[in-house]
Amino acid sequence: SSSSSSSSGLTLPERLASGSVAGAISTAVCYPLDTLKSQMAVRGGLKGSALRAARQMFAEQGGARAFYKGLGPTLVADIVGTGLGFTLYDSFNSWYQKNVTGGRKPSPAEKGVLGGFSACVCLTATQPLEVVMTRMRVQGVGGRPVLYKNMLDCLAVTARREGWRSLWLGTGAAYAKIFPQLAITYYVFEMASEQMGVGGLARYDAGKRTGKIVTP
């Protein structure tokens, strides 16, 4: 919400940028494990233990760069998704407080529902990139042909051969998973923030400067 933005000292663009950078860094660090998992899960993919599969992947698929197949669309999806998620959650809370509650701060349960909706909007925007990432990770594995040169080529080829709707395959099931997952996450976070007094030190420091200690 806007109040949370002001209390943290960050503007909305700063929150958007920080969320996007955090998402990009975490993705880049963990991505090799996701690629390895994908190649072990598909039919005809890598076999054996994770260590053995990683060695095979390194030896047969071009070294270290094999672990970063499809990184481009994944980074874009995470940057857009994380940044957009922060922005939408903040904007939905501000709109809800202004137009629905008449100025009352949304409850943790209400914020959970708003967080679920913001996650679904993000999913809609990034689902084509998830489809591209999955296809690029497993091409060339288990005898599969190498069909795509890069992210844009994969988007174009998929849309041309299967139609634009194919880029949103599985979205319904993803909604069913991500809405309750993110709604519960936001609810628990907001509830814990209230119960544990997150932001209390900021209020205390502000009180010391003004001579008035503000308590929750």
Side-chain angles (χ1 to χ4, degrees), residues 21-199:
V21 171
I25 293 174
S26 64
T27 296
V29 171
C30 299
Y31 192 80
L33 296 175
D34 288 330
T35 303
L36 183 62
K37 180 186 70 175
S38 296
Q39 293 207 14
M40 293 180 71
V42 297
R43 181 169 56 85
L46 301 174
K47 304 297 183 183
S49 66
L51 182 59
R52 179 181 177 184
R55 289 174 176 170
Q56 181 183 351
M57 189 173 165
F58 184 90
E60 297 178 359
Q61 299 182 33
R65 65 180 181 178
F67 292 89
Y68 291 91
K69 288 182 177 179
L71 177 62
T74 306
L75 277 178
V76 173
D78 278 3
I79 290 172
V80 172
T82 305
L84 186 61
F86 276 110
T87 304
L88 285 176
Y89 181 64
D90 190 276
S91 300
F92 283 176
N93 273 283
S94 297
W95 176 89
Y96 189 85
Q97 183 171 346
K98 179 180 179 180
N99 296 283
V100 178
T101 65
R104 174 182 61 80
K105 182 181 177 181
S107 68
E110 290 169 325
K111 287 186 175 183
V113 173
L114 294 171
F117 278 119
S118 67
C120 288
V121 175
C122 290
L123 174 66
T124 304
T126 59
Q127 181 67 12
L129 296 172
E130 294 290 337
V131 172
V132 168
M133 173 269 295
T134 301
R135 295 190 176 198
M136 292 186 68
R137 274 181 182 172
V138 300
Q139 67 173 346
V141 178
R144 290 172 175 80
V146 177
L147 301 174
Y148 316 112
K149 301 175 182 177
N150 51 49
M151 176 180 70
L152 294 179
D153 183 56
C154 185
L155 282 170
V157 170
T158 302
R160 184 173 64 251
R161 292 182 177 179
E162 305 174 35
W164 286 104
R165 291 185 178 181
S166 64
L167 296 174
W168 280 270
L169 288 174
T171 304
Y175 287 152
K177 172 190 175 183
I178 200 170
F179 181 87
Q181 180 181 11
L182 269 294
I184 293 171
T185 299
Y186 278 113
Y187 168 74
V188 172
F189 172 78
E190 296 291 348
M191 180 65 74
S193 296
E194 287 190 2
Q195 296 298 320
M196 299 175 66
V198 174

